[in-house]
Amino acid sequence: MEFFTIIDNEVTEAQIQESIKPSTLDDFTETMFVLETISESEFKGVTLWGDFHISYHKIKGGVRFTLLDCPNALAWTITTGYPPERHKIAFHVTINRTQKHESFIEEIHEFMQEWEEGLKEGFD
């Protein structure tokens, strides 16, 4: 399943990559933080769904986070410079399921809303 939201803030790829990283999660979210740094691209962290082994990578257009030990393979990207809105922030979440309980879908929307608010404030 895929979930998208567009945040109406104009930023560059470099601004996203410089601003959003494991050490700055608490600048953008209230429910996520690092428990233990494993490497520059991996850490153990707390999410809305509990503790996970999380990867972080700079990608074309922005950054990607992945919950490596999540049974739903939840991942999210924060990017700019591409359709559907080239000059705005695209927040994209995926899971490896075609169907999930409505309560989990609602949690994904809560997760996205928290990030959306943090991105709006962080890049205001």
Side-chain angles (χ1 to χ4, degrees), residues 16-22 40-43 54-58 62-66:
I16 290 173
Q17 292 175 344
E18 290 168 12
S19 300
I20 303 170
K21 49 189 126 190
E40 186 176 314
S41 64
E42 291 186 32
F43 62 99
I54 303 171
S55 73
Y56 159 82
H57 296 281
K58 293 179 181 179
V63 297
R64 173 182 293 123
F65 291 88
T66 306

Side-chain angles (χ1 to χ4, degrees), residues 10-11 79-89:
E10 193 167 321
V11 297
T79 58
T80 192
Y82 297 97
E85 296 285 346
R86 291 187 182 275
H87 301 289
K88 298 179 181 177
I89 300 170

Side-chain angles (χ1 to χ4, degrees), residues 46-123:
V46 172
T47 71
L48 181 65
W49 301 281
D51 301 359
F52 287 95
H53 185 180
I54 303 171
S55 73
Y56 159 82
H57 296 281
K58 293 179 181 179
I59 60 171
K60 187 73 174 157
V63 297
R64 173 182 293 123
F65 291 88
T66 306
L67 303 182
L68 297 174
D69 49 354
C70 173
N72 297 297
L74 191 135
W76 66 99
T77 61
I78 303 161
T79 58
T80 192
Y82 297 97
E85 296 285 346
R86 291 187 182 275
H87 301 289
K88 298 179 181 177
I89 300 170
F91 188 80
H92 177 226
V93 177
T94 61
I95 60 171
N96 64 352
R97 304 280 193 258
T98 57
Q99 297 179 354
K100 284 300 282 182
H101 292 285
E102 188 59 35
S103 61
F104 185 67
I105 301 302
E106 288 174 12
E107 289 173 347
I108 289 175
H109 288 291
E110 288 173 29
F111 175 79
M112 293 179 72
Q113 185 175 24
E114 179 181 5
W115 268 99
E116 181 178 2
E117 291 169 9
L119 291 166
K120 282 180 180 177
E121 290 176 18
F123 291 111

